[in-house]
Amino acid sequence: MKKTMLRKPKGFVDVYVHKAGAEKDRTHYCPGCGHGILHKLIAEAMEDLDIVDDTILISPVGCSVFAYYYFDTGNFQAAHGRAPAVATATSRANPNKVVISYQGDGDLAAIGGNNIVQAANRGENIVVFFVNNAIYGMTGGQMAPTTLEGQVTTTTPYGRNVDTDGYPMRMCEVISQLTAPTYVERVSLHDAPHIRKTRAAVRKALQNAKERKGFQFVEVLSTCPSGWKMDPVKSMEWVKEKMLPLYPLGVYRDKGDEARVITRPVPVMDPAEVWKKLGISAEADVDFPRGDVADEYKKMSIRVAGFGGQGIMVTGQALASVALEYGYNVSWLPSYGPEMRGGTANCSVNIQDGTIGAAEAVKPTMLLAMNRPSLEKFEKTIVPGGTLIYNSTLIDIEPVRKDIKIFPVPITGIADDKLGNIRVQSLVNIGAYAAITGMFKVEDVVKLLPKLFKGKKQSIIDLNAKAVKAGFDYVKENF
Amino acid sequence: MARMLMKGNYAAVYGAAMAGCTAYYGYPITPASEVAESAAALFPKLGRTFVQAESEVAAINMVYGSAGSGQRVMTGSSGPGISLKMEGISYCAGAALPCVIVDIMRGGPGLGNIGPEQSDYNQVVKGGGHGNYRNIVLAPNSCQEMCDYTMLAFELADKYRTPVFVLTDGVIGQMMESVTIPEPVKELPDKSDYAVFGTPLNKNLVNSIYIDHDDLEEWNMVLHRKYQVIKEKEVMYEEYMMDDAEIVLVGYGSVSRVLRTVVDDARAKGIKMGLFRPITLFPFPANEIEAFPERGIKHVLTVELSTGQLVDDVNLALAGVIKSDLYFRLGGNVPSADEISDKISELYGEEK
Amino acid sequence: MTDAKYPRSEVNLDKCKGCGLCIAACPKKVLVFSPKLNSKGYHYAEYVGSGCVGCGNCFYNCPEPDAITVYLRNYDPEKEV
C-alpha cells in the first residue's frame, strides 16, 4: 500500500519503557547520530515487511547497547562482541524467526572479530547490521579497528599510526571471502540519496531473512558527531570525503535466487520416541544367572597392563561389560600419565556387589600382565593371596611372588598361532579369566559379542568367539 | 535395556538428553571433549542442536542465546575453557538464565596438564566471573551420578533460573561404569514469562544491564535472596559410617571414592572413621559440618586435588571449634587409600 | 501547489535535538532552525509553512524516531485511522 505519511514506524515501541530515567519518548542517542537513522530504516522495513512480531533483535555493547529500548521485537542484550554467537543460538532455537545482530565497529570487528567471521562462515540464518563510524562512541571516542589512518581519537592522540596500530579493517571484504554468506553490501548514511540506498539494502536483507535465506551482512558507514567532535552536518561530509575512498560502497555478495533456504530439524521430545531413537529398550534388564564363584573372586580389583595395541583397554572394557550383565557393579578406568603415550598402557577394573570405592586398582586382587615391563611394575602391588595371569608368550622371566596364585597363559601365542589373528588377544584374556574365576560362562560371553563388537563384521565376531573358547580351554586343560 | 556401560562424560550427555536439553554448544578440550563428542553423536538423532563453537567464549554466549530462547541448554569444558566461559556465565547469572555447564577438571594453572585435579573449585563454587553471583554446583562421584545429577542440574537451573555446574574431574569423566538411563522428562517448564520467542504476544527482554544505580542494587538483592533460598533448600551431601565416627574425612568427586576405601580399611581395623561427602558445593553443607563437634567428632581431614580450596569452606563451617587438617595431591596425581591412611596415622595415630 | 496543505513536514519540537540534518537534506530549503529553544535547550527545526514537496528526505535523515512527520501529497485526514 502506498504510504500517505512518513511517521514513526511501527517497528518501534510507542513508549520506551525499558529506558532508564523520565524521558521515555526520545532516544538516548546524541544529536545527529547515525544509529538513529539506521534504527528508523530498520523499524520501517520491519513494519512494511510485516515481521515486527516475528523478529528477535540482539543489542550489542556500544552506543547501540540500548537498541532494545526502541524496537518492538523480542530483545536480547549481549556481551561485547558476542551478538553473533547469541544470534546463532537464538536462530537455532527459533528457526522461523528473523534474528538481527546489530553491532558497532569495536564490537564486531575488534572484540567480536572471530564471532562474526565464524557465524558468517556457518551461514547462520541471521541479519547483521554493522555500523561503521570509525570510532568507539560509548566509551568516549577511542580507536576502533575501522579508525582511519591518521585519525585522532582518545587512544590515538597523535593520529592512528599504521605501523603500531595496524590498518583500518574492511569487514565487507573480509566477510565476502567466505563461501556461506548470502548477501553482503556496504552502504552509507552520508546524504539523502545514500540513505535511500541504505533503506533498500536494509529491506533486502530483512526480506531475505524472512525467507530464511541465510547470512545477511549490511555494513553502514555512519557518523559519530560527538566522538568526532564535529557538528552533524560536517560529519556527513567527513564520511563522504574520508571514509568513502577507503570503504568502497556496493554489493560484495548477492546469491540472489541461488541462496539456500535454511531449515532446521524439529527436536524429538516425546519420551518413548527419545528412547527409541537412542536404541534404549524400555524392557527391564535381565541378568545372566551367576555360576559358582569362589569367595576370593567375588570382589575383584583388576589391573590389566601391557603394550598399546595389545588390547589392554578392550580387555578391561570387556571384563566390565560382561560382569555388568551378571548384575555386578563395575568400573573401568584408563591409565593416566606418561605411560599412556610411551607405548605401555594399563587400566583398572572393579567388579563387585555393593558400592565401588577407589576406581584405580592400586592393590589389585588380580593382575593381567601382557608384557614384561607390566609384570615387573605391578607384580609387587598384588594383594597377598591374589591372582596373576601373565602372557607367557612374551614374558621370559619368572614371577617372584610366592604368596599369590600364578597362571602363565600364552595369550599372544593362542591368538597368533592358533587363531591367526593377534588382535583377538583381548577375548583370549576374557576366556582365561572366565575359566579361573568361574564368574563368566563362555556361552554368555559369546552371546554378548555382537553387542561388544557392534558394527563389526560377523567374521570378526566369530573369530572372537573362538578366542574366548581358546582362552577358557587352555586354562581348563593346563591348570 | 536402559543399563549401559559408559564413561562419565557420556553419562552427562545422556542425562541432558533425558532432561529435555535441546541444544549443546561446546568446544573441544581434554578431558572434556567426550562430552561434546557424545552430544555430537546423540543430539542429531533427536533432532536437537549441536554446534561446535569457534571458542569457549562463543559457546557460552550461544548458551546465553539458547537459554534466553527458553531452551534447556548445556555446554561442557575443563579448567582453561571454564576460565574463558566466565564472561558468559556472569551474563547468564545476571540475566537469570538457566543453563548447565559440565566441568571435567584438569590440572592447572595455565595449561597445566590433562590429569585430574579439583583446582576449579574456587572459580566455579564462588561464582568465578565478575559481579555478585553464585552457581549451583553439583559434584557427582560416579558415572550414574553424572547422568542423574546432570538431569537434576536442569531441574535446579529452571527452578532458580540460574547457571548450574556439574563439577567433576577427569577420573569420573573418563572412567566407565554401569549407568541406568532414567526415563526422559515428560513435561518441560513454561518459560514464557521471561524467554524470548519472537511472537506477537511475547516481547520479552533478556538483559543484565541496569544503568540506574538503585535499579542494579535492587536486582542484585533479588539475586542475593535467591542464593539464600538455595542455601536453605538445596543442600545435598552423603554420609558414610558417620554415626559413631571420631575421625571424619571430607572430600568430593573422585577423591570421595578413595576416601570410602580408606574408611572401609580403617573400619576393618576397628578405627571409628567416617566419610562426609558434599554433593552440592554451592550451596555448601556448612550447617552439617558445623554440627560435627556436637556429634563427638574429634578430627576432620579434608582431602582434595587442590591446595586447600575445599578446606576453606570446611574451616569456615567449623569455625575453629575442632582441629581440621588438609591433605592434597596435585598435577594429576590421585592419592591412594594407603597414602591417606598413612597420613591419618601420622596425624592422629597416638590418639586412636 | 506549494501553498497546499499537503505535502507538509511537521517537526515535533520537543523531540528535535537540533542536529540540522533535515535542514541540510531539504532540497527546497523549507526547513530552518527556529530562533527559539525547546525544553531541552535546542534550536529545533521548523517548517517555514509552504514549499514542501513531500520528498521525505527530512524524515529519513532525522535520527529521532518521531521528531519529524511528513504528510504526503495523497494524505487525507478523513481516511486516516
Side-chain angles (χ1 to χ4, degrees):
Chain A
M1 205 175 72
K2 200 164 161 42
K3 287 176 198 281
T4 61
M5 63 190 294
L6 303 172
R7 41 99 184 113
K8 179 180 172 181
K10 299 288 186 200
F12 289 124
V13 292
D14 290 341
V15 182
Y16 311 137
V17 289
H18 289 304
K19 190 168 178 246
E23 284 185 353
K24 297 193 190 295
D25 61 350
R26 68 200 71 184
T27 68
H28 71 290
Y29 293 114
C30 305
C33 176
H35 280 301
I37 300 173
L38 181 59
H39 278 24
K40 192 182 278 180
L41 298 178
I42 294 169
E44 186 198 29
M46 288 197 301
E47 178 185 354
D48 293 349
L49 296 172
D50 195 23
I51 56 170
V52 180
D53 289 339
D54 292 307
T55 299
I56 299 168
L57 184 118
I58 321 292
S59 300
V61 168
C63 287
S64 47
V65 65
F66 298 124
Y68 67 83
Y69 284 171
Y70 311 116
F71 290 101
D72 191 21
T73 56
N75 279 288
F76 277 85
Q77 197 292 313
H80 201 15
R82 314 300 173 218
V86 175
T88 292
T90 306
S91 167
R92 299 294 184 111
N94 300 285
N96 298 323
K97 300 296 174 183
V98 174
V99 178
I100 298 174
S101 177
Y102 188 108
Q103 301 182 260
D105 41 30
D107 190 86
L108 181 138
I111 196 165
N114 192 27
N115 300 112
I116 189 64
V117 169
Q118 302 286 345
N121 192 48
R122 286 191 299 269
E124 294 297 342
N125 194 34
I126 63 175
V127 182
V128 178
F129 291 118
F130 167 42
V131 177
N132 175 359
N133 59 12
I135 205 157
Y136 281 65
M138 182 60 119
T139 45
Q142 295 82 14
M143 180 184 71
T146 48
T147 290
L148 308 188
E149 184 174 355
Q151 186 181 341
V152 173
T153 71
T154 59
T155 50
T156 54
Y158 312 109
R160 182 177 190 160
N161 176 350
V162 295
D163 291 336
T164 53
D165 305 322
Y167 292 84
M169 286 185 76
R170 291 188 267 233
M171 291 310 293
C172 275
E173 287 82 340
V174 171
I175 297 299
S176 60
Q177 294 307 305
L178 303 168
T179 306
T182 299
Y183 170 54
V184 181
E185 181 168 2
R186 182 182 288 123
V187 290
S188 173
L189 298 175
H190 70 272
D191 61 21
H194 284 89
I195 288 172
R196 301 293 173 137
K197 283 188 183 164
T198 302
R199 182 172 179 266
V202 166
R203 297 169 89 85
K204 178 167 180 162
L206 289 173
Q207 178 66 40
N208 282 351
K210 189 180 175 183
E211 294 167 17
R212 304 198 303 277
K213 284 186 176 167
F215 190 82
Q216 323 293 324
F217 187 88
V218 180
E219 175 175 347
V220 182
L221 302 185
S222 183
T223 59
C224 181
S226 299
W228 297 352
K229 300 174 176 53
M230 227 178 265
D231 82 52
V233 176
K234 282 227 169 59
S235 297
M236 293 296 203
E237 287 160 15
W238 195 85
V239 172
K240 185 179 174 188
E241 284 168 23
K242 306 287 186 181
M243 291 183 77
L244 287 191
L246 189 70
Y247 297 111
L249 304 182
V251 175
Y252 286 76
R253 166 75 54 78
D254 187 357
K255 287 188 177 172
D257 294 338
E258 309 276 291
R260 282 218 311 268
V261 172
I262 307 290
T263 55
R264 306 285 185 205
V266 178
V268 176
M269 302 307 284
D270 174 68
E273 198 64 15
V274 166
W275 270 24
K276 200 176 146 198
K277 295 267 185 198
L278 295 180
I280 300 168
S281 158
E283 284 168 36
D285 296 298
V286 180
D287 296 339
F288 290 138
R290 293 188 192 178
D292 291 327
V293 182
D295 280 351
E296 61 189 302
Y297 296 124
K298 279 182 175 160
K299 187 177 177 186
M300 299 300 297
S301 177
I302 308 160
R303 174 89 70 176
V304 187
F307 292 125
Q310 281 186 306
I312 303 305
M313 300 300 165
V314 176
T315 299
Q317 287 179 9
L319 282 171
S321 298
V322 177
L324 174 67
E325 301 294 338
Y326 289 93
Y328 288 101
N329 284 334
V330 298
S331 72
W332 170 89
L333 179 72
S335 70
Y336 279 104
E339 65 265 28
M340 236 168 108
R341 305 257 183 276
T344 64
N346 79 80
C347 64
S348 297
V349 176
N350 287 284
I351 302 171
Q352 65 182 78
D353 291 314
T355 306
I356 297 169
E360 187 171 1
V362 179
K363 291 189 294 182
T365 60
M366 177 183 280
L367 171 66
L368 211 168
M370 293 291 286
N371 65 4
R372 181 172 162 172
S374 299
L375 180 66
E376 289 171 336
K377 185 172 178 187
F378 293 116
E379 184 190 350
K380 55 184 174 291
T381 66
I382 302 169
V383 293
T387 304
L388 166 66
I389 306 173
Y390 74 93
N391 182 7
S392 57
T393 313
L394 297 184
I395 298 175
D396 54 2
I397 54 166
E398 291 293 317
V400 294
R401 292 277 292 270
K402 302 294 175 207
D403 60 341
I404 54 173
K405 286 180 287 298
I406 297 174
F407 297 89
V409 181
I411 293 157
T412 306
I414 292 171
D416 196 23
D417 302 340
K418 197 164 169 216
L419 302 168
N421 190 333
I422 201 160
R423 299 187 64 173
V424 297
Q425 290 176 93
S426 299
L427 273 291
V428 176
N429 286 337
I430 302 302
Y433 177 88
I436 291 166
T437 62
M439 189 182 271
F440 307 155
K441 292 192 198 81
V442 170
E443 60 267 31
D444 290 342
V445 177
V446 169
K447 253 187 270 175
L448 289 172
L449 288 175
K451 192 171 158 186
L452 290 175
F453 293 93
K454 208 172 171 180
K456 292 273 171 21
K457 284 186 291 193
Q458 187 60 39
S459 59
I460 304 262
I461 290 167
D462 292 344
L463 191 62
N464 275 290
K466 282 184 193 157
V468 181
K469 184 124 193 10
F472 186 89
D473 290 347
Y474 182 88
V475 170
K476 286 292 176 196
E477 285 159 17
N478 291 280
F479 302 103
Chain B
M1 282 183 291
R3 181 176 69 186
M4 291 192 248
L5 184 72
M6 69 170 72
K7 289 188 174 187
N9 282 338
Y10 277 74
V13 174
Y14 271 93
M18 298 308 130
C21 171
T22 43
Y24 186 99
Y25 294 98
Y27 188 84
I29 182 171
T30 309
S33 295
E34 287 154 335
V35 183
E37 287 166 7
S38 47
L42 294 193
F43 276 34
K45 287 185 187 174
L46 300 173
R48 303 185 188 181
T49 303
F50 171 85
V51 173
Q52 180 171 327
E54 61 269 25
S55 67
E56 298 280 7
V57 178
I60 193 67
N61 281 284
M62 290 173 186
V63 166
Y64 177 89
S66 171
S69 301
Q71 293 185 310
R72 284 192 162 177
V73 57
M74 174 172 165
T75 187
S77 192
S78 182
I82 296 296
S83 301
L84 287 164
K85 284 189 195 293
M86 284 305 172
E87 172 191 277
I89 295 167
S90 172
Y91 274 74
C92 287
L97 294 181
C99 61
V100 173
I101 304 142
V102 177
D103 180 2
I104 311 296
M105 290 183 282
R106 59 183 263 176
L111 206 48
N113 68 24
I114 59 172
E117 260 194 12
Q118 296 180 321
S119 48
D120 289 356
Y121 184 95
N122 279 349
Q123 73 162 345
V124 167
V125 174
K126 306 298 179 181
H130 60 285
N132 295 292
Y133 76 92
R134 294 299 192 104
N135 311 296
I136 295 175
V137 183
L138 301 171
N141 78 350
S142 69
C143 296
Q144 184 69 53
E145 286 191 357
M146 284 294 280
C147 180
D148 294 346
Y149 289 168
T150 301
M151 221 173 152
L152 174 64
F154 283 97
E155 296 300 325
L156 292 171
D158 280 337
K159 185 173 174 186
Y160 294 102
R161 284 182 56 186
T162 198
V164 179
F165 266 90
V166 176
L167 181 72
T168 194
D169 54 62
V171 173
I172 306 298
Q174 302 206 341
M175 74 186 288
M176 289 177 115
E177 288 184 297
S178 166
V179 175
T180 300
I181 307 299
E183 282 186 32
V185 291
K186 292 184 179 68
E187 223 174 314
L188 293 171
D190 174 27
K191 303 183 179 182
S192 56
D193 57 332
Y194 71 90
V196 174
F197 303 140
T199 60
L201 295 175
N202 178 318
K203 303 283 180 173
N204 285 333
L205 165 67
V206 168
N207 181 32
S208 63
I209 184 170
Y210 295 83
I211 205 77
D212 179 87
H213 295 194
D214 290 338
D215 289 349
L216 183 57
E217 185 175 50
E218 192 184 319
W219 173 239
N220 263 274
M221 288 311 296
V222 169
L223 294 178
H224 181 65
R225 283 190 292 271
K226 175 166 82 177
Y227 303 136
Q228 300 315 307
V229 173
I230 291 169
K231 279 188 188 178
E232 279 166 32
K233 297 200 167 167
E234 304 300 342
V235 170
M236 289 168 64
Y237 57 92
E238 182 191 357
E239 294 192 346
Y240 179 61
M241 301 279 181
M242 283 280 287
D243 286 349
D244 61 344
E246 293 175 359
I247 299 172
V248 168
L249 308 181
V250 180
Y252 70 99
S254 67
V255 171
S256 68
R257 299 177 60 129
V258 180
L259 296 183
R260 191 183 176 97
T261 302
V262 174
V263 169
D264 286 342
D265 292 350
R267 287 282 171 177
K269 292 181 204 153
I271 301 167
K272 290 180 175 174
M273 193 185 290
L275 165 64
F276 185 85
R277 172 199 161 211
I279 294 174
T280 52
L281 300 176
F282 179 85
F284 192 72
N287 294 340
E288 290 70 18
I289 291 175
E290 190 185 357
F292 279 2
E294 299 159 25
R295 298 173 69 175
I297 292 160
K298 291 178 183 155
H299 300 291
V300 179
L301 176 66
T302 300
V303 183
E304 55 184 295
L305 305 181
S306 42
T307 55
Q309 301 191 23
L310 170 65
V311 78
D312 282 352
D313 280 334
V314 173
N315 285 339
L316 270 177
L318 286 172
V321 175
I322 48 173
K323 185 171 160 58
S324 162
D325 294 287
L326 167 68
Y327 185 67
F328 60 82
R329 291 296 304 272
L330 302 167
N333 292 310
V334 178
S336 69
D338 283 357
E339 185 181 339
I340 295 166
S341 297
D342 290 349
K343 184 69 188 176
I344 292 165
S345 299
E346 183 192 316
L347 284 167
Y348 316 126
E350 59 287 1
E351 295 173 49
K352 279 200 305 250
Chain C
M1 288 296 284
T2 52
D3 54 353
K5 198 170 181 196
Y6 307 111
R8 176 166 62 86
S9 176
E10 188 176 286
V11 178
N12 184 332
L13 65 95
D14 267 341
K15 289 180 185 164
C16 176
K17 290 173 177 171
C19 71
L21 292 179
C22 58
I23 295 168
C26 178
K28 297 294 174 190
K29 303 295 172 204
V30 292
L31 288 166
V32 295
F33 282 115
S34 170
K36 292 185 226 158
L37 299 173
N38 67 10
S39 60
K40 295 288 286 177
Y42 295 118
H43 285 289
Y44 53 89
E46 60 183 3
Y47 178 45
V48 297
S50 62
C52 175
V53 294
C55 71
N57 279 5
C58 55
F59 175 80
Y60 289 111
N61 278 57
C62 174
E64 198 57 28
D66 57 352
I68 293 184
T69 305
V70 177
Y71 299 90
L72 300 174
R73 194 175 305 278
N74 57 353
Y75 179 80
D76 179 352
E78 305 288 311
K79 290 184 186 165
E80 295 298 319
V81 184

